[in-house]
Amino acid sequence: MKGLTNPGENVDFETMWNDLAKSLEEIHTKNASRLSFEELYRNAYKLVLKKKGEALYDHVKEFERVWFNTVIKTRILESLSPCLLVLAGNGVNVATTNERLVAGERFLRSLKQAWEDHNLCMSMTTDVLMYMDRVYCADKRRPSIFTAGMGLFRDCILFSPISEDKTANSLLTILKSVILDQISMDRNGDSINRTLLRSCAYMLEGLYKTDREDENEKLYLLFFESDFLDTTATYYRDIGASMMRDGDAGSYLQFTAKRLKDEDDRCRSSISPLSEIKLRKVVEHHLIRLNIQEVLQMEGSGIKFMIQNDRFEELSLAYDLVSRVDVDFQELKTALAKEVSASGQAINNEGNPDPTVSSPPSAAALLWVERLLKMKDKFDIMWTRSFSSHHGIQTAIERAFSQVINTFNRNTEYLSLFIDDHLKRGLKGKTDDEVDVVLDKAITLLRYIQDKDMFEGYYKKHLSRRLLLGRSLSEEVERQMITKMKMAVGNTFTAKLEGMFKDMNTSRELVDGYRNIHNNDDRPEDSKIDLAPNILTMTFWPTDAMSLPRTEPLPLNNSSVYQAPCEFPAELTALMASFESFYNSKHNGRKLTWMANLGSADIRATFPKLPGNETGRERKYEINVSTYAMVILLLFNSVSKGDSLTFQEIQARTLIPPNELSRNLLSLAVAPKTRVLLKEPMNKDIKPTDKFLFNELFTSKFVKIKIGVVAGGSRVEDPKQRKETEDKANETRMNMIEAAIVRIMKQRKELDHSQLLSEVISLLSGRFKPDISQVKKRIESLIEREYLERMEDVSRPAYRYLA
């Protein structure tokens, strides 16, 4: 800047200011093209250099003040319409929406023009007075001339009343009311000038309460935002109540999502991004937080309706909206859990067997499982499609689903029957992938079941029937199922199941070895008997497979297992003795007990020529029957033609338990398509004096015939059988609880009561959910038997292990 002025040169402030004032007026009247900014800068420089900076600063401010009061404010006031004054004064406004819209835009346009002109003028003025800002303002710590000019616009335009009346509204108040009115029009669907609105909001963002220009003291924040948020809250509170009253849940959710998007757009395009988060929270509070619970519970359109009608998009919308106000999704999880429970309870109610039916068919079990799986699939799809695979929601659904399954007291039996049905016939014709899907679904349900020990009992029972009666479609699939169970619930669960398969393999090897030695039977082919026994390890197989249910069981070796008695025909006893001799030569010290209740036999039956058909010949059939049925049929080899045997006689000669004998005789003499015997009288009620005789007129279009046992196979237990199963399970559980207590105490030596309960429950939870009262009883029993003792002089009940 050297050379701009002579240090000794005198400065006439008034003369130089008058020149500057004229130039500033030219700038404000948009005639600055004729000015020499270099000369103006030099004059301002001289004044500051000659210590006239303060006078120059004050004169410029005064110039701006006069300009605002005499020119700018007058122009803005001329743009005001009476309806805007009424609007700002909260009076009754009779103007139409369109009139207010036009008047408001005229006012906003006038204010916007004044603001933009002022910014331009102050930028040019700042260029002229740059040296004053750099030297005088910096030294005296006064706001820059640009900042001071902004403050004058605030004070002289926005804060000043529109008239001499002290109670008159300021232009800022009118501006605020106009902007809010325009926003209300926009929300109600009227078309407004969003760019104009944004410019005025931007003006409020650029002005501050004081010249310090604290970011927290923007006029927008202090004098507009709170009213803007308050009117927004009132608007959405009222419209939300209206939608709740007149609309449905789906419409409400769609309306809310749209309004949230609209308000975000409004902040960015019409108002200010400064309010975006706050505005969103206001809308979320009034449209979501306050109403979402009621929306989800709306009758005929709420979450129950959405779930039942696969409204995945609406559920997804509900998830998105709830996520805005509740990161834990508590309301949504509660509603979902409630619907899972309601749907599951309906399935459970339909799955309960009819009390008037003593032994309902297994179809009820299959239907229960299939409905549960269908419900599970539906909620899984919903979880991925509508709830973004949210872990917390999955936990809530699974917890409710687990409760549904475990409140149904036949869950273990029904699941085992479902698997049993599929492994016997349900997988026929399916691909490997389809088989995997079925098995995986069954394992999924197994994971939810708490009483896995009960399931193990049923599964062993059904598996034993499949293996012993040869009803399984595929041994490979059976083993695949065991492997899946092992992965899901552990090795302990499947150890005995694997032992059953080991027994079957061992039996096949023994039978092959026996046949190799005794295959030189010189009897005619038609009279040969082929024996293929299955050798079962009693600890692997279920008690039901090793015994026969009866009202008065016969004890075997004073054990809890009861032999199924049967007097075998002479044709078999010699062969059975031969096999026992062979077996004992391989396994010294073991004893075989022959069980007839789960065996089967293929017999060749010859029927005489039919009367009146002299050219015909004898009819021969191969009939597959149970071992008991075989024993019954072989009795009739020694019965003369036309003679009969009574029920009592058959029972006395075979020793077959009465209930089993009745079932087999019904299959042989009453079932229409397999009536190889005749019954007198012909009805389904079997009495001790009923007679049975060989049916010489039996015919069938098949050579190979399978005669099943009436009411045999896999069926749902009747109440009596169910109670027996539960009692047996409870007895086993008591032993397991005692073993767990002893194991824990042996390791820990001393333990307080509550911690012992906790560890016992944790240890046994993989098998079943222990009942607290049963655990306490087992503790008392162990104390009485001196395995444990109560500790003295301790603050809380505790026990000590006695070695």
Side-chain angles (χ1 to χ4, degrees):
M1 301 303 296
K2 186 176 180 180
L4 279 178
T5 185
N6 184 348
E9 183 181 358
N10 292 325
V11 173
D12 185 351
F13 176 81
E14 291 300 330
T15 302
M16 296 185 72
W17 165 246
N18 288 334
D19 291 340
L20 276 174
K22 290 178 182 178
S23 298
L24 292 177
E25 187 173 353
E26 293 294 323
I27 289 173
H28 283 66
T29 56
K30 301 180 181 180
N31 293 317
S33 59
R34 295 176 296 175
L35 298 178
S36 172
F37 280 85
E38 181 181 350
E39 182 180 350
L40 294 175
Y41 178 86
R42 185 182 297 110
N43 290 338
Y45 175 83
K46 291 178 182 178
L47 292 176
V48 175
L49 196 63
K50 295 302 181 179
K51 309 299 182 184
K52 301 296 183 180
E54 182 177 1
L56 177 60
Y57 186 88
D58 292 338
H59 276 66
V60 172
K61 285 184 62 178
E62 183 60 26
F63 173 88
E64 293 296 336
R65 185 178 291 107
V66 172
W67 178 260
F68 284 139
N69 290 331
T70 58
V71 179
I72 303 302
K73 186 175 180 181
T74 303
R75 289 179 190 168
I76 296 173
L77 292 177
E78 289 174 353
S79 68
L80 281 175
S81 298
C83 65
L84 300 185
L85 301 178
V86 174
L87 185 68
N90 297 320
V92 179
N93 203 330
V94 295
T96 64
T97 299
N98 188 61
E99 289 173 343
R100 298 198 322 274
L101 178 62
V102 173
E105 287 188 357
R106 185 169 58 248
F107 168 71
L108 295 177
R109 193 172 287 110
S110 174
L111 194 59
K112 169 181 176 289
Q113 188 63 52
W115 168 251
E116 290 177 350
D117 288 348
H118 178 62
N119 272 271
L120 178 61
C121 292
M122 290 311 300
S123 295
M124 297 172 72
T125 303
T126 299
D127 290 341
V128 171
L129 303 176
M130 186 184 302
Y131 188 74
M132 181 185 71
D133 280 342
R134 193 188 317 162
V135 177
Y136 169 75
C137 294
D139 290 345
K140 301 300 182 180
R141 296 186 179 181
R142 300 191 70 176
S144 68
I145 197 63
F146 186 90
T147 300
M150 296 300 106
L152 289 170
F153 187 92
R154 172 196 64 218
D155 298 334
C156 298
I157 301 299
L158 297 182
F159 281 1
S160 67
I162 60 175
S163 66
E164 298 294 332
D165 188 352
K166 294 183 179 179
T167 61
N169 288 316
S170 66
L171 283 175
L172 179 59
T173 302
I174 296 174
L175 172 63
K176 178 174 63 178
S177 63
V178 169
I179 294 177
L180 294 177
D181 190 43
Q182 296 271 314
I183 292 172
S184 177
M185 295 178 194
D186 189 27
R187 286 172 175 160
N188 292 326
D190 295 309
S191 178
I192 66 169
N193 189 332
R194 293 192 169 194
T195 304
L196 180 60
L197 214 61
R198 177 69 186 100
S199 297
C200 293
Y202 180 74
M203 174 187 69
L204 295 178
E205 284 183 57
L207 294 173
Y208 299 83
K209 182 180 180 181
T210 67
D211 291 345
R212 293 178 304 175
E213 295 192 343
D214 187 337
E215 289 298 314
N216 295 320
E217 293 185 343
K218 291 177 181 287
L219 296 190
Y220 177 87
L221 298 175
L222 297 180
F223 295 97
F224 175 78
E225 187 181 61
S226 60
D227 289 333
F228 171 51
L229 296 177
D230 288 344
T231 56
T232 300
T234 301
Y235 175 81
Y236 282 110
R237 182 191 62 215
D238 295 342
I239 200 168
S242 175
M243 287 293 296
M244 291 288 294
R245 184 176 58 253
D246 303 328
D248 56 54
S251 299
Y252 185 93
L253 295 174
Q254 292 169 7
F255 169 81
T256 301
K258 182 180 182 303
R259 284 310 177 104
L260 283 165
K261 182 178 181 301
D262 289 346
E263 293 300 334
D264 283 346
D265 292 341
R266 182 169 292 111
C267 268
R268 288 189 290 267
S269 65
S270 303
I271 309 300
S272 168
L274 293 175
S275 297
E276 187 171 352
I277 295 176
K278 299 174 187 175
L279 180 64
R280 187 182 304 140
K281 288 185 179 298
V282 168
V283 180
E284 289 170 350
H285 178 76
H286 287 280
L287 291 186
I288 303 176
R289 190 185 301 278
L290 296 182
N291 297 330
I292 193 63
Q293 182 178 3
E294 189 175 346
V295 170
L296 294 178
Q297 295 175 356
M298 278 187 175
E299 190 68 30
S301 65
I303 195 167
K304 179 179 180 180
F305 173 84
M306 296 175 195
I307 291 172
Q308 291 176 347
N309 293 276
D310 297 338
R311 299 292 185 89
F312 296 126
E313 291 184 2
E314 291 182 0
L315 288 167
S316 178
L317 196 55
Y319 169 81
D320 290 339
L321 295 179
V322 172
S323 68
R324 293 170 172 266
V325 298
D326 181 10
V327 293
D328 293 327
F329 296 94
Q330 197 55 51
E331 295 291 348
L332 187 57
K333 288 192 290 190
T334 301
L336 283 169
K338 182 179 178 181
E339 291 310 315
V340 172
S341 299
S343 300
Q345 189 57 49
I347 294 173
N348 286 348
N349 291 339
E350 294 176 5
N352 278 315
D354 188 344
T356 62
V357 180
S358 61
S359 182
S362 59
L366 302 182
L367 190 59
W368 179 80
V369 175
E370 287 167 359
R371 285 177 173 172
L372 269 184
L373 289 174
K374 185 178 180 181
M375 184 181 86
K376 179 71 168 58
D377 288 343
K378 181 173 183 174
F379 278 95
D380 284 346
I381 293 170
M382 188 185 306
W383 175 64
T384 54
R385 286 183 55 182
S386 300
F387 305 135
S388 300
S389 300
H390 187 273
H391 178 70
I393 291 178
Q394 181 190 34
T395 301
I397 293 175
E398 290 193 343
R399 187 179 291 117
F401 192 74
S402 175
Q403 188 175 9
V404 165
I405 293 177
N406 289 293
T407 52
F408 186 64
N409 61 356
R410 290 181 177 268
N411 55 5
T412 52
E413 181 187 9
Y414 277 18
L415 178 57
S416 182
L417 284 169
F418 172 81
I419 298 172
D420 180 65
D421 181 78
H422 277 77
L423 292 178
K424 286 194 298 188
R425 58 178 177 268
L427 300 177
K428 192 172 184 179
K430 285 184 168 62
T431 65
D432 291 345
D433 290 341
E434 290 171 334
V435 169
D436 264 343
V437 169
V438 173
L439 299 185
D440 287 340
K441 286 184 175 181
I443 293 298
T444 298
L445 290 188
L446 176 60
R447 287 192 178 98
Y448 289 105
I449 289 177
Q450 293 175 347
D451 297 333
K452 291 184 175 62
D453 59 332
M454 291 279 288
F455 173 80
E456 181 187 4
Y458 283 115
Y459 193 83
K460 285 168 61 179
K461 171 184 172 182
H462 296 142
L463 174 61
S464 68
R465 290 181 177 275
R466 293 197 300 275
L467 295 179
L468 297 177
L469 300 179
R471 294 178 179 175
S472 180
L473 280 177
S474 167
E475 184 172 325
E476 180 184 350
V477 176
E478 291 278 7
R479 291 183 180 276
Q480 188 179 346
M481 187 66 189
I482 300 299
T483 301
K484 290 180 180 290
M485 286 184 182
K486 182 187 292 187
M487 294 174 63
V489 292
N491 296 341
T492 305
F493 183 85
T494 58
K496 292 183 178 180
L497 302 179
E498 291 173 326
M500 293 166 69
F501 281 97
K502 184 178 179 181
D503 280 351
M504 297 302 291
N505 288 334
T506 303
S507 298
R508 283 193 286 267
E509 293 172 1
L510 281 169
V511 169
D512 289 342
Y514 174 76
R515 285 173 177 169
N516 290 335
I517 297 175
H518 298 82
N519 200 28
N520 54 356
D521 195 337
D522 56 0
R523 287 184 297 176
E525 187 67 27
D526 288 348
S527 61
K528 281 186 177 181
I529 301 175
D530 185 18
L531 182 67
N534 291 309
I535 314 302
L536 312 182
T537 305
M538 293 183 65
T539 54
F540 292 158
W541 295 76
T543 304
D544 290 345
M546 308 299 293
S547 64
L548 186 69
R550 62 179 64 81
T551 54
E552 295 181 359
L554 303 174
L556 175 64
N557 300 331
N558 297 322
S559 70
S560 60
V561 178
Y562 301 102
Q563 180 180 353
C566 182
E567 185 69 30
F568 290 101
E571 296 95 320
L572 286 178
T573 52
L575 194 59
M576 292 163 63
S578 171
F579 183 84
E580 284 190 37
S581 176
F582 168 78
Y583 181 81
N584 289 331
S585 68
K586 299 286 185 181
H587 304 282
N588 189 27
R590 297 186 186 180
K591 181 180 179 181
L592 292 178
T593 302
W594 294 88
M595 314 294 294
N597 55 306
L598 283 177
S600 64
D602 291 325
I603 60 175
R604 298 186 184 93
T606 303
F607 294 83
K609 293 185 292 184
L610 292 171
N613 187 5
E614 299 301 329
T615 60
R617 53 183 179 176
E618 293 179 339
R619 288 158 291 118
K620 295 184 178 182
Y621 300 100
E622 291 185 11
I623 306 176
N624 177 267
V625 293
S626 69
T627 302
Y628 282 147
M630 175 201 68
V631 173
I632 295 168
L633 289 175
L634 289 180
L635 287 179
F636 288 89
N637 282 339
S638 60
V639 175
S640 301
K641 183 178 180 180
D643 288 348
S644 61
L645 295 173
T646 65
F647 179 88
Q648 288 177 324
E649 291 172 335
I650 295 173
Q651 206 277 326
R653 291 172 64 175
T654 63
L655 299 181
I656 298 174
N659 61 329
E660 287 296 309
L661 181 59
S662 297
R663 292 171 59 229
N664 280 275
L665 285 172
L666 283 173
S667 299
L668 295 171
V670 178
K673 295 183 179 180
T674 58
R675 198 174 293 169
V676 295
L677 299 180
L678 294 176
K679 176 181 179 294
E680 296 178 355
M682 179 54 70
N683 55 44
K684 293 183 178 180
D685 296 326
I686 294 184
K687 299 178 181 178
T689 56
D690 287 353
K691 296 180 179 180
F692 298 87
L693 63 157
F694 184 63
N695 181 11
E696 296 181 349
L697 302 181
F698 172 79
T699 60
S700 175
K701 59 182 180 180
F702 301 107
V703 175
K704 293 184 177 182
I705 305 167
K706 184 172 184 178
I707 301 179
V709 181
V710 171
S714 301
R715 292 173 59 84
V716 177
E717 293 179 330
D718 61 30
K720 182 179 179 182
Q721 293 171 328
R722 177 72 185 176
K723 187 177 185 308
E724 290 176 355
T725 300
E726 290 176 346
D727 291 343
K728 192 183 303 180
N730 287 334
E731 183 178 349
T732 304
R733 287 178 176 181
M734 286 192 295
N735 295 332
M736 293 179 68
I737 291 172
E738 285 192 355
I741 294 171
V742 171
R743 183 185 306 170
I744 293 168
M745 292 301 300
K746 189 174 183 180
Q747 181 181 5
R748 304 294 293 276
K749 305 304 181 184
E750 294 180 355
L751 206 61
D752 68 65
H753 178 76
S754 60
Q755 193 171 355
L756 177 58
L757 288 180
S758 175
E759 292 196 21
V760 169
I761 292 172
S762 176
L763 185 62
L764 297 175
S765 60
R767 297 286 293 166
F768 63 94
K769 185 178 181 180
D771 182 76
I772 299 297
S773 61
Q774 285 295 331
V775 178
K776 292 179 179 178
K777 288 180 181 178
R778 292 304 93 205
I779 293 174
E780 293 297 327
S781 175
L782 289 171
I783 291 175
E784 291 174 4
R785 288 179 284 159
E786 298 184 349
Y787 283 90
L788 306 176
E789 68 174 0
R790 287 188 174 85
M791 296 177 62
E792 304 293 338
D793 301 327
V794 289
S795 58
R796 295 188 298 179
Y799 308 101
R800 179 182 293 111
Y801 177 70
L802 300 177

